[in-house]
Amino acid sequence: MPWRILMQSDVEPYETVMRLLEEAGCELDWWREPEPPPGVDYGALEGIYVYSHMWVSRELMARCPRLKIVSNFGVGCDHIDLEGARSLGLPVGNTPGVLDAATADLTWTLLLAAARNAIRGDHFARGPEFTHYDAAILLGQQVTGAALGIVGLGRIGYQVARRAAGFDMEILYHNRNRNERAEGELGARYLSLDELLEQSDFVTLNCPLTEQTRGLIGSREIARMKPAAVLVNAARGPVWDQEAVLEALRAGRLHAAATDVTDPEPLPRDHPLLEQENLVIFPHLGSATRQTRDAMSTMSVDNLVAGLEGREVPYRIA
Ligand code: 8YV
């Protein structure tokens, strides 16, 4: 008997996932709109497979008496009611570790692009106005030797910090817990959030979205930052207050901001943030390399199958 899986697809899922699910003998019911789809036999569902954006509520999980596992293609599970899953005794799997390097690389891509006006430079170099070399244009902020403040020094934040060492940066961090490894190996210094904001030239957000981190960076926090600082969001859109960021960018309160994530995602096409030249914005590319996607596929399908077979879920977040 094939396993019946409710499979998220607001866009097409990654090819390796599809192959692995087929090999595992899964049959899929597609979930395309935010609300769980009509016409699905919820009584027969044994697994739910998602990769963010869709809200997996307790109500949905409770509606499926045969459900054995919720598997997430990704590490962040803010779109799944983890407490709800726990209360139902339902395992939730995710993909920690395998995407740390790719997400740290992307954090650095955002940081460097914002610091050095890379996207504006690219547009300018292709445009009609670039008719002669000018040493005074598009001056950026020096990365080498500057102070980097990392908000959220977990697995991804640690990889961001390692890369900072190559830029001779002072590494500051704020986190729920002290990270002794980063302090010992990289000389990272723990600060309160306010101290970090005041002392950093570059601030990266690398924390998960939780009730504690929702709206963590607002007008008050941005006001504490250095006037030519760069703020990078590689976490989740709601971790910063988007309106406050927009206001700061409009007022030239920061050198630039850069983000891989928004709220909602994507933003409406006429959203004023999209007009800000001092914002670098990517379409959630954090873990988007072929190699990392393949690793995430294997891990998430392994989690799914383990749950379906009643075995211990190798990477379990709830
Ligand atoms: C993924 C992510 O792109 O793992 C996460 O938390 O945000 C990204 O790596 C996403 O989950 C997959 O759609």
Side-chain angles (χ1 to χ4, degrees):
M1 273 284 277
W3 307 105
R4 284 231 72 84
I5 309 297
L6 181 63
M7 171 84 188
Q8 174 185 344
S9 176
D10 48 352
V11 288
E12 284 307 308
Y14 187 57
E15 58 196 290
T16 312
V17 172
M18 296 306 293
R19 181 176 53 76
L20 294 174
L21 288 176
E22 200 185 322
E23 284 169 15
C26 295
E27 266 185 19
L28 309 178
D29 287 303
W30 293 101
W31 181 3
R32 295 195 160 90
E33 303 295 331
E35 287 303 312
V40 167
D41 180 2
Y42 287 93
L45 278 187
E46 290 156 296
I48 296 180
Y49 186 99
V50 283
Y51 51 98
S52 79
H53 300 105
M54 303 300 200
W55 173 237
V56 182
S57 64
R58 185 184 192 283
E59 191 194 348
L60 169 62
M61 296 182 274
R63 211 170 137 188
C64 312
R66 299 190 57 189
L67 190 60
K68 299 182 178 74
I69 172 93
V70 177
S71 180
N72 184 51
F73 178 74
V75 68
C77 287
D78 46 278
H79 55 292
I80 301 171
D81 183 346
L82 297 176
E83 269 315 308
R86 280 183 201 111
S87 70
L88 293 165
L90 200 63
V92 178
N94 71 337
T95 65
V98 291
L99 44 68
D100 301 348
T103 309
D105 291 349
L106 201 278
T107 306
W108 273 95
T109 310
L110 289 166
L111 189 158
L112 289 168
R116 301 301 301 271
N117 303 312
I119 309 295
R120 289 168 70 190
D122 176 283
H123 291 163
F124 185 74
R126 295 167 196 269
E129 280 145 46
F130 186 38
T131 52
H132 62 280
Y133 170 72
D134 183 347
I137 59 161
L138 289 170
L139 300 185
Q141 294 296 324
Q142 185 95 354
V143 174
T144 296
L148 172 67
I150 301 172
V151 179
L153 198 80
R155 281 179 298 250
I156 294 169
Y158 184 81
Q159 292 302 326
V160 172
R162 277 192 63 207
R163 284 151 179 74
F167 286 91
D168 298 331
M169 295 179 98
E170 184 186 0
I171 302 168
L172 312 173
Y173 78 99
H174 179 72
N175 198 46
R176 269 173 301 190
N177 309 308
R178 295 285 283 262
N179 187 323
E180 279 164 21
R181 183 172 166 218
E183 292 182 17
E185 288 176 12
L186 304 171
R189 202 147 59 80
Y190 176 85
L191 294 178
S192 70
L193 181 60
D194 282 353
E195 289 168 333
L196 177 144
L197 294 168
E198 284 159 8
Q199 295 180 32
S200 301
D201 301 298
F202 297 89
V203 174
T204 65
L205 307 178
N206 295 104
C207 52
L209 172 63
T210 63
E211 281 323 302
Q212 289 72 44
T213 64
R214 187 177 292 276
L216 190 68
I217 306 293
S219 323
R220 181 196 155 278
E221 286 70 30
I222 294 173
R224 300 193 104 84
M225 292 177 69
K226 294 186 183 181
V230 171
L231 177 59
V232 177
N233 189 352
R236 284 289 186 265
V239 171
W240 69 12
D241 172 350
Q242 229 161 233
E243 287 307 308
V245 173
L246 175 62
E247 206 178 290
L249 291 175
R250 277 182 167 156
R253 264 286 296 115
L254 299 168
H255 168 69
T259 191
D260 192 33
V261 286
T262 56
D263 181 28
E265 207 167 275
L267 288 175
R269 294 299 80 196
D270 60 353
H271 194 285
L273 256 186
L274 302 179
E275 284 160 28
Q276 285 305 132
E277 279 209 313
N278 48 359
L279 175 74
V280 173
I281 182 162
F282 291 163
H284 202 141
L285 296 178
S287 56
T289 67
R290 292 225 154 255
Q291 295 79 1
T292 297
R293 285 279 185 261
D294 280 350
M296 291 163 70
S297 306
T298 307
M299 214 164 164
S300 56
V301 175
D302 282 352
N303 285 338
L304 181 82
V305 173
L308 292 171
E309 292 177 349
R311 286 184 285 112
E312 197 177 318
V313 174
Y315 293 91
R316 187 173 168 173
I317 188 170

